[in-house]
Amino acid sequence: MCEKHRTTPAAAPPSTVDRTGRQPRPCRPADVRRAVERAIRECCRAGRPCDAHAVSDAQLVASELTTNAILHGGGVTDFHVDVVGPDVRVCVSDRSDRLPVVQPPVDGQGRRRVGGRGWPIVCRLARDVQVCDLPSGGKCISVVVPLI
């Protein structure tokens, strides 16, 4: 069962429901971190070895993708986490068609920039980073983080 584990939108508190009566998908960094940890821990309970640093890396990557979607992508439109073999795949969709970019740490006048570290963190900790356009507009960023 843990060879492929997909989360359901269960990171929201039970009292939080949308107008259709369903719980919304995780869309805040804290919700996403909890969903990633829960998906990985379920597999760990089933006998898979779990490295605490790898779990932290996966949570950080998911949090950075979510934060970037909020700050630069018009908000999170979808989120999935799958544990597949020795890896976790995190997918975050947003409303923007703009591709992520790396900003230099200093501006044109040599002053240090605030922020701009999220995408480099994602690219450093994850492998198999894919950015896909969505048919209805926006994009989906899918990354794989090794768990061992």
Side-chain angles (χ1 to χ4, degrees), residues 62-118:
S63 182
E64 289 297 335
L65 288 174
T66 305
T67 299
N68 287 348
I70 293 167
L71 294 176
H72 310 293
V76 176
T77 58
D78 200 8
F79 168 80
H80 293 284
V81 58
D82 300 303
V83 178
V84 182
D87 303 317
V88 62
R89 177 176 298 280
V90 176
C91 302
V92 177
S93 299
D94 64 39
R95 291 177 176 85
S96 175
D97 295 328
R98 291 184 15 209
L99 297 174
V101 295
V102 176
Q103 292 288 334
V106 293
D107 65 14
Q109 285 109 14
R111 295 177 297 205
R112 284 214 163 291
R113 292 184 192 272
V114 175
R117 292 165 184 79

Side-chain angles (χ1 to χ4, degrees), residues 113-146:
R113 292 184 192 272
V114 175
R117 292 165 184 79
W119 187 242
I121 288 171
V122 168
C123 293
R124 170 82 185 203
L125 296 177
R127 60 179 174 80
D128 191 24
V129 177
Q130 298 179 6
V131 182
C132 302
D133 290 328
L134 298 173
S136 59
K139 67 181 169 298
C140 177
I141 299 178
S142 174
V143 301
V144 174
V145 181

Side-chain angles (χ1 to χ4, degrees), residues 9 17 21 23 26 40 42 48-50 54-55 61 65 67 74 78 87 101 108 115 124 133 135:
V17 293
Q23 290 180 336
I40 295 170
E42 285 179 19
R48 170 191 301 246
C50 285
V55 174
V61 167
L65 288 174
T67 299
D78 200 8
D87 303 317
V101 295
R124 170 82 185 203
D133 290 328

